[in-house]
Amino acid sequence: MDIINKFTNAFWSTHIWLPPNTTWADIAPGSRPDVVHADYRDLIWPIPLAAVVMLIRYTLERFWISPIGKSLGIRSSRPKKAANVPTLESAYAKSSHLDHKWLAPLAKQTDMTERQIERWWRLRRAQDKPSTLVKFCENTWRCIYYLYSFIFGVIVLWDKPWFWDVKSCWYGYPHQSVSNDIWWYYMISMSFYWSLTATQFFDVKRKDFWQMFIHHMVTLLLMSLSWVCNLHRVGSLVLVVHDCADIFLEAAKLTKYANYQKVCDAIFAIFTVVWIVTRLGFYPRIIYSSSVEAPRILPMFPAYYIFNSLLLMLLVLHIIWTYMILKIVVDSLQKGLMSGDIRSSDSEDLTDSSGNVRVANGSTRTKPKSGISALTAATAGGGVAQRKRGANTSNNHTGDATTAAK
C-alpha cells in the first residue's frame, strides 16, 4: 500500500503537472470564489453518458437510419453460411487468411478437395463480412455525431475569447473558470469516445482495430489530463478543429454505400479542402500559440512540454496524411480511375479468401492489390487508412480516397 501511495504522489507531483508555485489545492473546486476550476471527479460522468450515447445510436440506427438505407436500395442481405466443418472452423479460428500450405493436410483430415476447402474458406470469410447496410448505418451515425459536435462546439466557443484569439488560452492560467457549456462539451465528447471504445468490439471489424482502440484510449487519456490540469481552453479548440473535416469524410462514405457516386465525389472534394484548411491551417495556428506565445505568457513546467510534444506529433501525422490524400487525388486524376471499397479499414475484400486468383489452368496467381488495399498496406494509425495506388474501374473516382484520412 505504501508503494502505491508513493507512486501516486510521485506521478501527480505538482512539479510535473502544474506551473511553479502552484499546488493542487490552489486549483481545487472552491479554492477561489471568482474561479470555477475543473473538478477531476467529473471525469466519471462520461462513462454513464456513454451508455446514453449508445442508446441514442441504437435508436437512430434501428428506427431511422436503417429504414432510410433500405429505401435507398442498400443491400442488407448476408451471404449464406458455410457448412459446419469443425476441422476447418478450428483452422479458421487461428487465422482467417488461408495459407496454401494448409490445403493438403486439411484435405486429408476432411476428405474434401483443395478446391472445396478454398470455396468453404471464401464463404466463411464472406459470412463475417458486414452487410453494406450495417456499414451505411455506422457511418451515418458518425456523420450525425460529428455534425452535432462541430455545431455545438462552435456555438459553445463563439463567445469565448480564445476562439478568436488563441493567446487567451494562456492568460490567467491555471486559474481559468469552466463554464457549464464547456463542461458539457468536454463530457459529451469524452462520452462519445468511451462509446466508440465499447462498440468497437461489435462494429464493423477493421484491419486497424487495435490501432483505433489505442487511439481512443490515448484520446481519452489526453482529454482527462487536460481537464485535470485545467487546460480545457486549448483542448476545446483542438476538438472543434478536428470534428469539422470528419463530417465530410463520413458523409462521403455513406453516399458511396448508397451508390451516389457523383455526390460522393463532390463531398470528397469539399472534404479535401476542409481537411487542408483545418488540419494544416487552423491547427498549426494553435501549435504556434502553444509553442511560441505560451512561453511568453506563463512559466513553463514539464506537463506543458508533454502536451505540446503530443500536439506537435499530431501535426506531423496531419502532414503525412495530407500528403497521402493529395497523392490519391493526383493519381486518380492522372489515371482517371479509382477502385475498391470505400473503407480500407473495413474487413478485407472477400472476393478470394487467400488474396489469390485462380486462373484457367487451376494454378493461382497473386491478385494485385486494389487501390484501397494498397492504401491500408502502406500505413495505418489513429483509425487512418493512408495510401492508395492503382485502380480497376472508371466509376469510382473518389470512393476509396475518402479513407485516406480518419
Side-chain angles (χ1 to χ4, degrees), residues 207 211 324 344-345 348 369-380 384-389:
K207 294 179 182 179
Q211 292 95 320
M324 299 297 180
S344 65
S345 55
E348 296 177 11
K369 288 187 177 181
S370 67
I372 206 60
S373 299
L375 179 63
T376 303
T379 47
V384 182
Q386 297 138 345
R387 177 168 177 158
K388 180 177 192 313
R389 303 182 68 91

Side-chain angles (χ1 to χ4, degrees), residues 16-20 22 24 27 32 37 167-177 225-234 294 297-301 303-304 307:
I16 297 176
W17 299 104
L18 297 177
T22 305
W24 292 113
I27 64 170
R32 292 178 55 164
H37 292 100
K167 288 188 295 183
S168 296
C169 288
W170 321 114
Y171 294 140
Y173 180 82
H175 303 293
Q176 299 172 339
S177 291
L225 291 176
S226 68
W227 183 261
V228 171
C229 296
N230 234 37
L231 288 166
H232 55 271
R233 290 189 176 183
V234 67
I297 299 173
L298 52 86
M300 295 294 95
F301 52 102
Y304 160 82
F307 286 120

